Amino acid sequence: MTLTGREMRTHIDEEGTLTLSLQSVTPGEPGDDEVIVRVEAAPINPSDLGLLLGPADVASLESVDDETLRFQVPQERLASVRGRLGQSLSIGNEGAGTVIAAGRNAKALEGKTVGMIGGGMYADYRRIAARDVAVLPEGTTAAEGAAMFVNPLTALGFVETARMEGHSAIVHTAAASNLGQMLQKICLADGIALVNVVRSAEQAQILRDIGARHVVNSRDADFTAQLTAAIHETGATIAFDAIGGGTLGSEILHAMERAASENAPSYSRYGSDTFKQLYIYGGLDPAPITLNRAGFGFQWSAGGWLLFPFLQKAGKETVTCMRQRVAAELTTTFASRYTQVIGLAEALQADVLRRYERKATGEKYLIDPRLG
């Protein structure tokens, strides 16, 4: 079988010009332990946008032709992507589709609808190792299974991290996102208190409608008091921050320290003895991270959290249980809802890209290459 299809690729040259384009590729024959999947659905996640656009200035967007867009990366941001300059990179962390060819050790997968992870999903066809696909439950569509890895495993990973590190309650920012809603549903089912931080009344209502008890709006005048009260009530000592830049992470640590100090038997110049953990897992705000040390004592830590290093740390047994739970609750707890389904070429239309690049809460786009 000789297949030729399109694949979206991103390239930054030495001068800082970022080019997005569709290229013609031939996946080749599957190896013994490989399959070829006709891609039928691939979500646009924030992590995909990080590779697709990097630190480019979206305002510099220039439409070269129907299948090519060009941007400029400001010189002061170029150092952050020095390692990818000159490379043409495929895009799309996860997706789903139909197995149309399989190597001799993977023949049982032929004709199956599968979810998959491994990059390069913004394409007509994807050749991939059989171990990186999962057969979708009977009756599940490719669109329903396209986002079964990144957000579901991240949400479950937050809960597992909290448990592994001895925390009983969690704070989460950008909490009305698809991922945030999954996390709230998990916490409700597992009896874990969750403090949701949002930035609008509409986002707060999304979470309350699915049963959230603790929701605070960072734009309210009394946000600091609300956050401290919610943390005091829940005992939350670990936070997962999707915003990254700015002062929100620092404000959460301050609120944790204030909540811990309310019941302290005596004053200590070193702060409370309650350990507080801040994990930054996203970069919705590209501004520098500001941590104001005054106010949260010495019992704290801040660091980054990424899904794949966590999965390696968690071990095979834990990861297997996580994946089984996702498969069992794919259309309930881990269901993703999409604002719009677009074709592969449509994703490179300037007006469409501007819409999905905004990363607006409640808006999620799905690519179906079969639409053109």
Side-chain angles (χ1 to χ4, degrees), residues 26-363:
T26 301
E29 295 296 320
D32 289 348
D33 299 298
E34 292 181 325
V35 295
I36 295 178
V37 180
R38 180 179 65 237
V39 182
E40 296 163 0
I44 301 177
N45 294 315
S47 56
D48 298 313
L49 290 172
L51 178 62
L52 188 145
L53 291 173
D57 179 5
V58 178
S60 68
L61 186 156
E62 174 190 358
S63 185
V64 179
D65 55 44
D66 290 344
E67 297 183 349
T68 306
L69 296 176
R70 189 175 293 152
F71 307 80
Q72 292 302 313
V73 178
Q75 285 300 309
E76 64 270 18
R77 301 179 189 172
L78 205 53
S80 67
V81 290
R82 184 67 59 186
R84 63 169 284 190
L85 297 185
Q87 299 182 52
S88 179
L89 303 175
S90 57
I91 317 160
N93 283 317
E94 62 183 338
T98 303
V99 176
I100 59 172
R104 64 178 182 178
N105 298 329
K107 288 294 184 183
L109 292 172
E110 282 191 347
K112 301 290 188 182
T113 302
V114 298
M116 52 185 170
I117 189 166
M121 301 300 169
Y122 298 170
D124 290 309
Y125 305 103
R126 178 69 164 88
R127 191 180 76 185
I128 191 168
R131 66 174 180 272
D132 293 327
V133 309
V135 177
L136 298 181
E138 189 71 28
T140 304
T141 67
E144 291 172 325
M148 69 179 296
F149 292 100
V150 176
N151 281 350
L153 293 181
T154 296
L156 287 170
F158 290 168
V159 172
E160 289 298 327
T161 298
R163 286 173 174 153
M164 290 163 56
E165 298 183 5
H167 303 274
S168 60
I170 299 169
V171 178
H172 184 226
T173 71
S177 64
N178 267 262
L179 188 159
Q181 294 176 55
M182 291 177 190
L183 179 60
Q184 180 58 79
K185 292 174 184 177
I186 294 166
C187 288
L188 286 170
D190 293 8
I192 297 168
L194 176 66
V195 178
N196 298 280
V197 180
V198 299
R199 57 183 180 179
S200 73
E202 292 75 17
Q203 292 171 4
Q205 193 59 49
I206 289 171
L207 290 164
R208 291 195 176 101
D209 286 345
I210 60 172
R213 179 178 177 186
H214 304 284
V215 187
V216 294
N217 184 346
S218 62
R219 292 181 176 171
D220 283 349
D222 62 343
F223 167 65
T224 297
Q226 287 187 47
L227 179 62
T228 302
I231 289 174
H232 184 266
E233 183 176 344
T234 60
T237 49
I238 186 169
F240 296 93
D241 178 29
I243 307 300
T247 64
L248 184 56
S250 187
E251 293 175 62
I252 292 170
L253 289 173
H254 285 155
M256 287 179 175
E257 177 65 10
R258 283 192 299 272
S261 298
E262 286 184 10
N263 298 323
S266 61
Y267 168 76
S268 169
R269 65 183 182 274
Y270 300 114
S272 75
D273 59 4
T274 298
F275 183 76
K276 303 163 288 293
Q277 176 68 58
L278 170 67
Y279 281 119
I280 297 167
Y281 77 96
L284 295 177
D285 184 347
I289 299 168
T290 301
L291 294 178
N292 181 356
R293 276 282 294 106
F296 46 81
F298 282 82
Q299 291 291 326
W300 64 279
S301 179
W305 193 98
L306 286 173
L307 175 60
F308 292 105
F310 163 76
L311 295 177
Q312 292 175 347
K313 179 181 178 181
K316 184 177 180 180
E317 183 177 345
T318 297
V319 173
T320 298
C321 289
M322 290 167 62
R323 290 181 65 162
Q324 288 174 343
R325 181 170 181 177
V326 173
E329 302 175 33
L330 190 56
T331 59
T332 53
T333 304
F334 303 107
S336 290
R337 294 171 179 80
Y338 299 98
T339 304
Q340 187 176 347
V341 181
I342 58 177
L344 194 57
E346 191 178 0
L348 292 184
Q349 293 177 7
D351 60 331
V352 175
L353 182 139
R354 289 190 183 98
R355 290 202 298 273
Y356 66 70
E357 183 277 333
R358 294 183 306 170
K359 302 184 286 289
T361 298
E363 292 187 7

